[in-house]
Amino acid sequence: MSDKQTSLFDLIHQIIREHGPIGMGDYMSLCLGHPQFGYYMTREPFGTKGDFTTAPEISQLFGEMIAVWAATTWQSLGQPEEIQLVEFGPGRGTLMQDIWRGLSAIPAMRDKASIHLIEFSPRLQKIQSENLIGLPVTWHPDLTTVPHAPSLIIANEFFDALPVEQAVYHDGLWYQRLVAVDEEDLIRTLGKPLQGIMVDNPEDGAIFEYSPKIAEAMLEICGFLKQNGGALLAVDYGDAVPLQNRIGDTIQALFEHEPVGIFDSPGNSDITAHVSFAALEEIAADTGADHVLTMTQREFLTQFGIRLRADKLLSTANDNQNKEIQAAVHRLIDQSQMGDLFKVLQVIYGI
C-alpha cells in the first residue's frame, strides 16, 4: 500500500484500476473484513451507539428462548454426555451470556456444556472475553479448530453479513454484476455471462442474488453436524421464496441506524443482504439432515414461550420496566417489526 492510501475508498479504486472491475461479493468482503479498513475491524457496530441493533441487544428474552430451544434439542438428541454451544458471529457476547444464564435452570445440561465462539475480529473477541468472564469459552477463527463432539450451533445475523453476488438478466442472458470506477465514482456494470441460473420467466433487468460464501459456510456447518450430531439454529432477516422465483436487489447499507448508499462510504457502514432460507434448506436437505424447518421469528419465539416469560417478568416489574419489557416483546415478535421479517431455520442431525 502506498503512503497516499488513507481509506478503503482509495484502496478499492486502486484495485479496480489495476485489475479491472470486481464482483459485488469482493466489494462486500473488502468493506466488512479488510484488516485495516473493514467495518467489523474498526468500530463497535452493535447497539444504540452502533449502526444496527440485534435481537440480543433488544432484550434478554431472545437469548432465554434460545436457551429453551437448546435444552429441548439436547433432550431430543438423547442428552449426550458432552454438548458444545458453538456461536458464529457472537457480537459482544450478549446472546451467549443470556443463553448460559437461561441454561442455569437445567444444570444436568449446563454442567456438560462448553462454549466455542467463531470470531475473526480481534476487537470483538476482546469485548466478548470481558463480557463472558468465568464461562467455559474457547475462541476459534473458524469451525476447523472446534472439537468434534455433539454441538448446538447458533448463527444469529451471521449469514446476512457474508458476501453476496448478483446477476442481471439482459437480452436473454444472465450477466454477473460488477463494481467499476467512473472517474471518482464507484458504479455498477455487467461482467461475463453466467450459466446455471434457473429463474422462471425473468424480465430484462431482473436481478438474482447468490452467494458461494453462504453456501460454503452452510455446507461446512452441515458436514460438521452430520459427523458429530447436533443442530443448527440460524436467525436472520430474509425470505423463504423458492429459488426459481427469487428476484430482486436486497443488498443494503446502514450507517447510524439509517439507510445509506452501498458506495457512499466503504468501510464506514454495515452492508448486508437478505438471506435466502430456501437455499439454506436445500443444502441441509441434500446433506441428509433429519429435521429441516424454517419459521418466522414471531412463530419461533412464541412457540418457545416468550409471552409466558414476559408475563412472569411483568408480574414483578415497576412502571418503567413494564414499558421496556412490552416494547421489547413488540419489537421482537410484532409483524410490523422483526416478527415476520426475521426467519429462524432449525436443522437437526442425529435424532
Side-chain angles (χ1 to χ4, degrees):
M1 180 186 298
S2 70
D3 293 336
K4 292 182 180 178
Q5 281 179 338
T6 57
S7 72
L8 187 58
F9 184 83
D10 299 325
L11 176 61
I12 291 171
H13 272 248
Q14 180 179 324
I15 290 171
I16 292 173
R17 287 196 175 102
E18 290 181 358
H19 303 286
I22 61 175
M24 294 297 297
D26 288 336
Y27 176 75
M28 287 182 68
S29 294
L30 287 166
C31 289
L32 297 176
H34 185 274
Q36 185 177 355
F37 301 122
Y39 176 78
Y40 285 113
M41 301 300 186
T42 60
R43 63 191 60 244
E44 171 57 72
F46 308 103
T48 56
K49 294 181 180 178
D51 295 313
F52 58 91
T53 304
T54 60
E57 306 291 339
I58 293 170
S59 172
Q60 68 184 57
L61 290 166
F62 182 77
E64 289 177 357
M65 295 308 100
I66 292 183
V68 176
W69 169 84
T72 303
T73 305
W74 173 71
Q75 290 169 349
S76 72
L77 291 168
Q79 302 185 11
E81 284 299 310
E82 180 182 3
I83 190 70
Q84 298 181 149
L85 302 173
V86 182
E87 185 178 2
F88 279 78
R92 297 195 300 198
T94 306
L95 177 57
M96 188 54 70
Q97 202 172 31
D98 292 339
I99 293 171
W100 193 255
R101 186 180 60 253
L103 290 176
S104 63
I106 305 127
M109 175 185 176
R110 202 171 82 159
D111 290 348
K112 300 172 181 177
S114 59
I115 299 170
H116 299 267
L117 301 182
I118 313 292
E119 181 58 72
F120 67 84
S121 168
R123 289 186 69 260
L124 289 175
Q125 184 172 320
K126 183 175 184 297
I127 294 169
Q128 293 154 15
S129 65
E130 292 167 354
N131 289 336
L132 299 172
I133 288 175
L135 275 61
V137 184
T138 306
W139 280 266
H140 306 267
D142 51 50
L143 193 58
T144 59
T145 60
V146 175
H148 287 273
S151 300
L152 302 176
I153 297 180
I154 297 149
N156 179 56
E157 294 198 51
F158 165 71
F159 286 109
D160 70 2
L162 294 180
V164 167
E165 301 289 350
Q166 290 185 330
V168 181
Y169 193 71
H170 179 68
D171 285 347
L173 293 174
W174 288 98
Y175 294 86
Q176 184 182 12
R177 176 177 265 186
L178 303 177
V179 180
V181 170
D182 180 23
E183 295 182 353
E184 293 304 310
D185 295 326
L186 294 172
I187 62 169
R188 298 168 178 85
T189 188
L190 298 183
K192 295 179 179 180
L194 298 171
Q195 303 294 325
I197 297 176
M198 308 297 289
V199 172
D200 293 341
N201 304 314
E203 297 181 358
D204 219 46
I207 295 168
F208 179 79
E209 292 180 343
Y210 60 101
S211 177
K213 291 294 185 182
I214 288 179
E216 180 183 314
M218 186 64 178
L219 275 168
E220 184 179 30
I221 289 169
C222 290
F224 181 90
L225 291 173
K226 185 174 184 178
Q227 182 178 357
N228 299 289
L232 165 68
L233 187 77
V235 185
D236 237 310
Y237 73 99
D239 59 79
V241 177
L243 295 178
Q244 68 270 19
N245 301 326
R246 196 172 186 269
I247 290 293
D249 181 354
T250 74
I251 297 177
Q252 64 180 21
L254 283 179
F255 179 73
E256 296 183 350
H257 298 268
E258 295 295 330
V260 295
I262 65 169
F263 298 143
D264 285 358
S265 186
N268 293 322
S269 58
D270 180 44
I271 301 180
T272 62
H274 283 216
V275 174
S276 170
F277 280 83
L280 297 180
E281 283 187 353
E282 188 175 272
I283 291 169
D286 287 348
T287 56
D290 297 301
H291 176 81
V292 181
L293 178 64
T294 297
M295 60 179 66
T296 65
Q297 180 169 295
R298 173 175 52 85
E299 291 168 333
F300 174 82
L301 293 177
T302 301
Q303 176 182 320
F304 283 97
I306 190 170
R307 293 184 190 276
L308 292 172
R309 176 60 176 151
D311 287 344
K312 185 175 182 181
L313 293 175
L314 288 169
S315 67
T316 58
N318 59 37
D319 287 346
N320 286 336
Q321 291 169 333
N322 188 302
K323 291 177 182 176
E324 289 177 3
I325 293 166
Q326 294 202 45
V329 172
H330 173 76
R331 188 163 178 192
L332 288 172
I333 68 173
D334 193 86
Q335 289 174 288
S336 66
Q337 299 289 316
M338 299 173 74
D340 283 1
L341 175 60
F342 278 70
K343 308 296 187 297
V344 181
L345 170 65
Q346 302 172 66
V347 180
I348 306 177
Y349 295 79
I351 55 175

